[in-house]
Amino acid sequence: MGDTRDFGIAVADADRLNDCYHELSEAFAQRPAVLGDENLLSRHVQATPGNEDWVHRCNSEDVAQRYIRAGLMDRRLPVWIRTASSDDLVDHYQFVTVTNRMISTGLYLTDNLPKGQMEDRPLWIKRADWRVFFDGVITTRYGQLDPTPAPRILSLAHPCEDQIIAMIRVVHAEGSRGRKIPKAVRAKPGFGGVKSETIKCLSVGMFPRVGRAGVKVKE
């Protein structure tokens, strides 16, 4: 496992960790919350009339991350990587910490310095292992696998806060500055229902710029 390059080759019979996360998150979003979910949330978004589905989806992402993090830490989810010539099983002791970035991107991303050999590696879960884990989680939470519940109609007019912040960074990178940022964000697909004031509040202090005297000022 000395060569840590990403060869762009998938591990056999496996899915990327981030794809597994999105599948579990979507399964939770299509079902009601269960008792105790509020204790698994890293952020608490207040539900108001009209945004209940959006809040439920955001919470489902949080809960799914907690389940996957636990599965990685206690070895219920063996992780594989692709090397130059083979698929290699990762020693579970590599996962001293499991970050949200690691789960949402499917890459081994840490803040460790110096960077280890695993850094930036795509992480893969064998489909057979994932199916056992996924079915176990759904059965534990809801008591049965079938019948699969009918999809809930979700409001897409209210992206969660993390998505809004990410889009602010995108439009800033595209050249939007200051008062133009809210308009540019709202012009993006799926963000038309976000209030300009919300975007302004979230963007305050994100992009300090240097004034003529060399003093940083906030946009």
Side-chain angles (χ1 to χ4, degrees):
M1 204 174 74
D3 193 335
T4 60
R5 290 177 295 164
D6 178 6
F7 294 93
I9 303 173
V11 169
D13 303 314
D15 291 318
R16 278 277 291 270
L17 176 62
N18 53 308
D19 290 332
C20 296
Y21 156 62
H22 289 302
E23 180 183 354
L24 188 61
S25 173
E26 185 64 24
F28 290 168
Q30 302 297 335
R31 295 168 168 84
V34 302
L35 184 64
D37 277 357
E38 64 276 6
N39 299 323
L40 302 179
L41 303 179
S42 62
R43 56 192 171 187
H44 292 273
V45 184
Q46 183 64 42
T48 58
N51 79 340
E52 296 91 345
D53 287 331
W54 166 62
V55 171
H56 180 60
R57 179 171 288 277
C58 291
N59 291 346
S60 296
E61 293 171 357
D62 263 10
V63 174
Q65 287 203 354
R66 292 294 290 268
Y67 273 93
I68 290 180
R69 182 177 294 108
L72 294 174
M73 299 290 283
D74 64 16
R75 291 182 286 181
R76 286 178 295 147
L77 276 179
V79 175
W80 295 73
I81 62 170
R82 176 68 188 181
T83 62
S85 58
S86 65
D87 300 335
D88 289 351
L89 180 64
V90 177
D91 183 350
H92 82 279
Y93 286 110
Q94 288 282 346
F95 298 102
V96 178
T97 59
V98 178
T99 65
N100 292 346
R101 287 192 306 153
M102 194 181 297
I103 296 172
S104 61
T105 63
L107 299 171
Y108 190 87
L109 299 174
T110 69
D111 297 321
N112 297 338
L113 291 173
K115 299 295 185 183
Q117 290 188 344
M118 281 286 296
E119 200 72 25
D120 298 327
R121 269 292 199 177
L123 304 174
W124 301 85
I125 306 292
K126 291 285 189 177
R127 295 190 184 104
D129 293 331
W130 173 247
R131 191 49 46 198
V132 171
F133 178 83
F134 179 90
D135 290 352
V137 168
I138 297 300
T139 301
T140 299
R141 285 175 60 86
Y142 306 106
Q144 60 178 0
L145 288 173
D146 294 314
T148 301
R152 305 170 74 242
I153 299 176
L154 299 173
S155 171
L156 299 180
H158 299 283
C160 66
E161 185 173 297
D162 287 348
Q163 293 172 318
I164 298 172
I165 291 173
M167 186 55 69
I168 291 172
R169 296 188 186 281
V170 169
V171 300
H172 185 271
E174 291 174 347
S176 297
R177 298 290 186 271
R179 296 177 181 178
K180 295 182 179 180
I181 288 178
K183 182 178 180 180
V185 170
R186 286 166 53 83
K188 296 293 185 180
F191 289 80
V194 180
K195 295 181 179 179
S196 294
E197 288 300 319
T198 299
I199 300 170
K200 290 178 183 177
C201 290
L202 292 175
S203 62
V204 169
M206 287 180 63
F207 310 108
R209 57 188 177 86
V210 178
R212 291 183 178 178
V215 179
K216 286 186 177 181
V217 294
K218 295 179 179 178
E219 292 186 351

